[in-house]
Amino acid sequence: MEKQQQTGQKRKKVDIPIAKKLQIIDDLENGMSTKEVMVKHNISSRSTVTSIRQSKQKIREQASQSHHAIGKRMRFKMPRYPKVDEALFIWFLQKRQQHVPVSQEMLQVQAQTFFNKIVGEGEFGSRGYIEKFIQRHEIRVLKITGEKLSSNVAAIEGYVQNFSKKVRDKQLSPCQIFNADESGLFFKNTPTSTYVDKGATSAPGRKVAKERVTFMPCSNMDGSLKLPLMLIGKSQKPRALKHVRQLPVYYKASKNAWMTQFLFKNWFFDEFVPRVTKFLEDSNLPVEAVLVLDNCSAHFTGGDLQTRDGKIWTEFLPPNTTAIVQPMDQNIIQMIKLRYRKTLMQEMMGRPGDFHENVKNIKDAMFWVAEAWDSVPLDAIRKSWNMLYDPVQIEDEDDEPFSVLREKLQNISKKLLENRAVDEEDEDCEVLKDDDIVDSVLNPDKDINSYNLADSTLSAAEDVNCSIDTVNLEGAPDDDDTPVVTDEAAINGLNLVFKYAEENGWSINTQFRLHQMRLDIFEKTAGARLSH
């Protein structure tokens, strides 16, 4: 310092990229000394490392606000109006999710709209602001084209390599890597086509029931932890759940039965983090995990989807690649729907009464979809990760895994090139209007449509000890005189027992067994009807 003052020279400021700062923080937390870190990263000043150590929480919080790689960025500079910036980015993500082309002029118009709603009347949205917005969120410009396979292959390959490297650097095992994804379900929907005899010219039917819910499966890579499904309905307090003390799903509600930012954030901190933490502690593993997500606008909650210590965090997939690399989209969600619809048909055919009126409430749907998720084999979950991360292949030193990836991508080119409308049932994230976006950034902890069923998160492992009084059989009729129990009487009896189980808090596993017993009778009666 004295030498610098004597010569009149100022010490040269050296900027360190954010990515390098994160590496330094990881090295320090892994036990490296300050001197070792200085040597490894070619840093001459001890105070630089000390400053990074003291600011590690702030650095991680800022880094988490970027949905994509932070690249060579040296620092994060907050915009003058952060709420306007956040609203504009949510709007941008939502438009791209809908495959709507977004130009600079569109961003300028929308920035002005959000400025008027959040700040007040005034001029806003200059080209300079939009350019900085684009740099801040690492938005690229691509020419719109129908031939998008090659660019997607490059994007996916680059992301897969970076993701694999990050997993290796963090030393994460397959049971510490998770994925979650939403999908819609018309839970009362009957078949929309039917077989007819050769003389039939039409197939009259009833109006399609479009009562929908959204469900979200979440599991780690090896299937050792399958979290209870999150199910979103429209009703805050469904009448069918009035006396139910335990549910097989994590139930919430929103106006359109869509996932919202508020609901997803609550699920992450109230459901995902506690269950994953307990699982890792019980497995004698470090409490460190990553949740891989797509770029659904409901998942963007201001970059705070991580624990305070940063040990459980989220990783976002590149846009427009989820159909190819997102594990839950690799037949897992489809398997849940197929198993659900099979159970739905068995119940509708087996129950007495009108075929179209046999599914009356959301309670049945909760159990059926939960059973469908429970029946998804672990091997299918493991295979669903092959496109994103294969721990066996990644351990190889050569480039063979990525040549395999390229071949897989070429084989599914038709899937990428399809230009089809989004299935109504597959709409899972809330489509926010401008006022909704403004309200979400101004009131991040407010959601008037959310509903927390207090008893819905009780552990499925809990059981209730039920004592059965001894029945005095003296004077009972002989077996030969006992009337045969009909299928309808058995179903009515099971319904009564099931209601008792719900009201008295029997375990979910026990209720599953009661459901299976009732389903066996439905299959029998359905078979008898078809044989006549």
Side-chain angles (χ1 to χ4, degrees):
M1 179 65 70
E2 292 180 357
K3 185 177 180 180
Q4 290 175 354
Q5 290 176 351
Q6 292 173 359
T7 58
Q9 294 178 350
K10 288 186 178 181
R11 180 175 148 192
K12 185 178 179 181
K13 182 179 179 181
V14 178
D15 285 328
I16 299 177
I18 299 296
K20 193 171 183 178
K21 289 181 181 178
L22 293 173
Q23 293 176 7
I24 292 172
I25 293 171
D26 289 339
D27 289 341
L28 290 170
E29 291 185 343
N30 290 332
M32 291 184 67
S33 66
T34 301
K35 188 173 182 179
E36 290 172 332
V37 171
M38 291 171 62
V39 173
K40 178 180 177 180
H41 296 282
N42 194 26
I43 299 174
S44 58
S45 173
R46 176 181 291 268
S47 62
T48 301
V49 179
T50 303
S51 176
I52 292 174
R53 178 193 280 117
Q54 294 173 346
S55 306
K56 66 179 182 179
Q57 186 67 29
K58 181 179 178 181
I59 294 171
R60 277 179 168 158
E61 288 177 357
Q62 291 177 332
S64 69
Q65 293 176 6
S66 175
H67 272 224
H68 308 287
I70 53 181
K72 298 181 180 180
R73 295 182 68 173
M74 296 295 180
R75 62 180 62 85
F76 289 96
K77 184 177 180 181
M78 293 297 294
R80 184 177 180 184
Y81 301 103
K83 295 297 184 182
V84 176
D85 192 270
E86 183 180 346
L88 184 60
F89 188 54
I90 293 174
W91 177 87
F92 168 76
L93 289 178
Q94 185 168 272
K95 291 301 178 186
R96 287 308 304 140
Q97 185 184 357
Q98 298 169 343
H99 304 292
V100 175
V102 179
S103 66
Q104 187 179 55
E105 291 75 17
M106 292 172 67
L107 288 171
Q108 287 180 273
V109 171
Q110 198 61 38
Q112 179 69 68
T113 300
F114 285 133
F115 182 84
N116 292 343
K117 290 178 178 291
I118 295 173
V119 181
E121 295 296 329
E123 293 295 327
F124 190 76
S126 64
R127 299 183 73 89
Y129 167 78
I130 297 302
E131 288 174 0
K132 291 179 180 178
F133 172 83
I134 289 171
Q135 293 174 3
R136 194 159 41 245
H137 295 285
E138 298 176 13
I139 297 171
R140 298 181 301 146
V141 177
L142 291 179
K143 184 177 178 59
I144 299 174
T145 172
E147 299 294 330
K148 56 181 180 179
L149 177 62
S150 58
S151 61
N152 273 303
V153 170
I156 293 174
E157 283 192 7
Y159 179 83
V160 168
Q161 294 186 44
N162 291 333
F163 180 76
S164 301
K165 182 179 183 301
K166 184 176 292 187
V167 168
R168 292 197 304 271
D169 292 343
K170 295 281 188 179
Q171 298 181 340
L172 298 179
S173 63
C175 61
Q176 294 172 285
I177 308 171
F178 291 79
N179 177 237
D181 189 30
E182 306 91 343
S183 184
L185 178 69
F186 292 135
F187 67 93
K188 291 187 177 183
N189 204 4
T190 55
T192 55
S193 59
T194 181
Y195 289 108
V196 297
D197 64 83
K198 64 179 181 180
T201 58
S202 63
R206 297 192 181 185
K207 185 178 179 180
V208 177
K210 289 192 175 183
E211 294 183 58
R212 81 186 292 284
V213 294
T214 295
F215 69 92
M216 183 179 73
C218 178
S219 171
N220 55 5
M221 184 184 295
D222 61 4
S224 55
L225 178 59
K226 294 166 67 176
L227 277 74
L229 281 180
M230 181 177 187
L231 192 78
I232 305 171
K234 292 183 180 180
S235 176
Q236 292 185 350
K237 296 181 180 180
R239 184 177 302 174
L241 304 181
K242 183 176 181 181
H243 299 294
V244 180
R245 294 180 58 191
Q246 291 186 349
L247 292 178
V249 297
Y250 180 82
Y251 181 73
K252 298 289 181 178
S254 68
K255 183 171 61 176
N256 297 311
W258 281 331
M259 179 65 80
T260 67
Q261 294 179 18
F262 181 87
L263 294 182
F264 188 81
K265 184 176 180 180
N266 280 0
W267 171 84
F268 180 81
F269 288 107
D270 297 344
E271 181 76 359
F272 179 76
V273 171
R275 287 186 180 271
V276 171
T277 299
K278 186 178 186 304
F279 167 76
L280 295 176
E281 289 175 345
D282 293 345
S283 304
N284 294 319
L285 289 169
V287 181
E288 189 168 5
V290 58
L291 174 62
V292 180
L293 300 169
D294 60 27
N295 278 274
C296 168
S297 58
H299 298 161
F300 179 73
T301 62
D304 55 356
L305 283 180
Q306 64 174 9
T307 53
R308 289 183 178 274
D309 58 5
K311 295 296 185 180
I312 300 180
W313 77 99
T314 51
E315 181 80 19
F316 289 90
L317 295 167
N320 304 324
T321 60
T322 57
I324 308 303
V325 297
Q326 175 149 254
M328 289 300 165
D329 275 341
Q330 310 309 310
N331 290 328
I332 301 300
I333 288 177
Q334 184 67 9
M335 291 175 75
I336 295 173
K337 289 185 176 183
L338 290 174
R339 282 165 165 75
Y340 173 85
R341 283 168 181 154
K342 179 181 178 182
T343 303
L344 174 65
M345 290 300 102
Q346 290 172 337
E347 292 268 354
M348 295 181 75
M349 293 174 64
R351 288 182 176 181
D354 187 271
F355 176 83
H356 294 276
E357 301 295 332
N358 274 340
V359 181
K360 297 181 179 180
N361 59 60
I362 195 174
K363 182 175 68 178
D364 288 336
M366 287 182 180
F367 276 91
W368 298 343
V369 75
E371 288 176 310
W373 169 230
D374 189 61
S375 68
V376 173
L378 299 186
D379 189 53
I381 293 177
R382 297 187 188 108
K383 290 180 179 178
S384 70
W385 286 84
N386 287 348
M387 292 300 296
L388 180 59
Y389 179 77
D390 189 336
V392 177
Q393 291 184 353
I394 296 300
E395 289 175 0
D396 297 338
E397 295 296 331
D398 55 23
D399 292 330
E400 183 179 353
F402 299 108
S403 63
V404 172
L405 171 65
R406 187 179 294 106
E407 183 178 350
K408 289 180 180 178
L409 291 170
Q410 296 292 343
N411 290 336
I412 55 178
S413 60
K414 291 182 180 179
K415 193 171 183 179
L416 272 173
L417 297 175
E418 281 181 347
N419 183 19
R420 61 182 180 87
V422 177
D423 192 324
E424 282 184 83
E425 188 177 70
D426 291 333
E427 294 177 1
D428 43 50
C429 290
E430 182 181 24
V431 180
L432 299 173
K433 298 178 181 178
D434 289 354
D435 289 338
D436 296 328
I437 294 176
V438 171
D439 189 55
S440 70
V441 298
L442 293 179
N443 304 289
D445 295 325
K446 172 189 171 186
D447 192 321
I448 59 173
N449 296 315
S450 67
Y451 167 57
N452 182 15
L453 186 67
D455 294 319
S456 65
T457 56
L458 293 177
S459 170
E462 294 178 358
D463 206 341
V464 177
N465 294 324
C466 300
S467 61
I468 303 177
D469 294 334
T470 304
V471 179
N472 185 1
L473 297 179
E474 186 177 350
D478 294 335
D479 290 343
D480 293 339
D481 296 329
T482 304
V484 176
V485 179
T486 64
D487 293 334
E488 184 175 358
I491 292 172
N492 290 337
L494 279 173
N495 287 340
L496 187 63
V497 175
F498 190 75
K499 187 172 185 297
Y500 179 86
E502 290 175 338
E503 294 177 351
N504 289 273
W506 285 15
S507 71
I508 294 299
N509 289 336
T510 301
Q511 295 185 44
F512 273 149
R513 289 195 292 271
L514 291 174
H515 267 284
Q516 186 58 50
M517 293 169 63
R518 189 172 62 177
L519 184 59
D520 291 341
I521 301 175
F522 286 151
E523 289 179 347
K524 174 177 176 263
T525 57
R529 290 182 183 180
L530 292 175
S531 62
H532 289 300

